[in-house]
Amino acid sequence: MLPSRHRLTHRADFAATIRGRGTARRGSRLLVVHARPADATRTDARDRVSRVGLVVSKAVGNAVTRTRVKRRLRAQMALLIPLLPGGTDVVVRANPPAADATSQELADALRHCLGHLLVGQDR
């Protein structure tokens, strides 16, 4: 489970992470990961806490399926939060094939995308 200080909760934060200046995106068959590194001009970056938001639309499946995908992604991100540079905002969007993926497949896709976005290498 992600602590509340590590969660993106406002629509403006999601929009800034997905469409704002200085953002990067990496996708796979299962996920699309958007990242916005810390910027000294951002007032919300002062506390240097990395935050994560999840987007799992109805295209992924019914409510039970979406909840299962979100729970799996949250668990994987909780393990990866300490590896993120301070102040980084990340939005993870699940694609429809994520509904049939195992936790390990989601973890591998997440590490692959984050590795390319944040440090330029696979982890």
Side-chain angles (χ1 to χ4, degrees):
M1 178 141 156
L2 286 172
S4 60
R5 66 188 185 114
H6 289 293
R7 293 185 199 153
L8 283 175
T9 55
H10 295 95
R11 180 184 175 129
D13 292 333
F14 275 85
T17 303
I18 292 171
R19 295 188 189 98
R21 285 188 329 133
T23 63
R25 177 180 67 193
R26 182 71 179 198
S28 73
R29 182 180 68 85
L30 301 176
L31 307 169
V32 177
V33 179
H34 301 267
R36 180 173 70 150
D39 181 1
T41 62
R42 281 185 16 220
T43 57
D44 59 345
R46 281 185 287 204
D47 56 5
R48 306 294 293 171
V49 174
S50 298
R51 300 180 302 168
V52 176
L54 301 175
V55 178
V56 183
S57 72
K58 287 186 178 182
V60 173
N62 63 21
V64 174
T65 302
R66 292 192 311 268
T67 301
R68 185 177 63 235
V69 170
K70 283 186 277 190
R71 190 173 52 243
R72 289 176 176 177
L73 288 172
R74 259 190 239 113
Q76 296 304 322
M77 281 307 303
L79 299 173
L80 297 175
I81 284 276
L83 303 175
L84 296 176
T88 302
D89 288 345
V90 175
V91 172
V92 179
R93 184 169 42 94
N95 291 330
D100 299 321
T102 65
S103 293
Q104 187 59 48
E105 290 171 337
L106 289 174
D108 292 343
L110 196 54
R111 284 180 182 273
H112 175 77
C113 291
L114 281 173
H116 277 280
L117 284 176
L118 300 175
V119 292
Q121 60 185 359
D122 288 302
R123 290 197 167 221

